[in-house]
């Protein structure tokens, strides 16, 4: 398992379009991909779960990836967040 904390840079947080981009990318990997905000653990492959987490600009989340392609998955997830999710 690999983990990394990131700060949400997208001005709208993880609303519909950015959340969709995140989930779309997560689905490319076999690894289990979750993120934690406080005590909440969210499946990054579920659009409804990501939207339900109400992630806002400036929130810190910690991604955890576990599986055969975990390092690649973590790099992709944190990279998207750091780039602002193309928004």
């Amino acid at each position: 398992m690999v983990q990394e904390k990131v700060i949400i840079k997208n001005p709208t947080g993880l609303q519909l379009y950015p959340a969709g981009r995140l989930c779309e990318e997560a689905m490319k990997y076999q690894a289990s991909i979750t993120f934690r905000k406080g005590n909440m653990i969210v499946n990054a492959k579920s659009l409804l779960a990501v939207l339900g987490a109400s992630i806002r600009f400036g929130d810190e989340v910690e991604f955890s990836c576990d599986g055969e392609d975990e390092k690649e998955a973590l790099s992709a997830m944190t990279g998207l967040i750091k780039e602002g999710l193309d928004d």
Side-chain angles (χ1 to χ4, degrees), residues 53-86:
S54 299
I55 305 298
R56 300 180 187 153
F57 173 80
D59 285 350
E60 179 181 74
V61 297
E62 181 177 28
F63 278 90
S64 298
C65 301
D66 189 21
E68 64 182 62
D69 54 359
E70 62 191 23
K71 290 180 183 174
E72 295 86 357
L74 182 65
S75 178
M77 295 296 98
T78 57
L80 271 177
I81 297 295
K82 290 174 183 175
E83 293 169 7
L85 291 153
D86 299 332

Side-chain angles (χ1 to χ4, degrees), residues 3-50:
Q3 299 176 312
E4 184 177 341
K5 292 181 181 179
V6 290
I7 303 292
I8 303 299
K9 292 184 175 183
N10 187 292
T12 62
L14 293 184
Q15 297 302 318
L16 187 58
Y17 175 76
R21 272 289 289 126
L22 186 75
C23 293
E24 180 182 289
E25 186 65 26
M27 293 296 290
K28 296 178 183 178
Y29 299 92
Q30 296 296 316
S32 166
I33 305 171
T34 60
F35 64 85
R36 175 187 299 266
K37 177 188 172 199
N39 293 328
M40 184 185 333
I41 297 176
V42 179
N43 177 358
K45 294 182 180 183
S46 168
L47 181 58
L48 289 176
V50 173

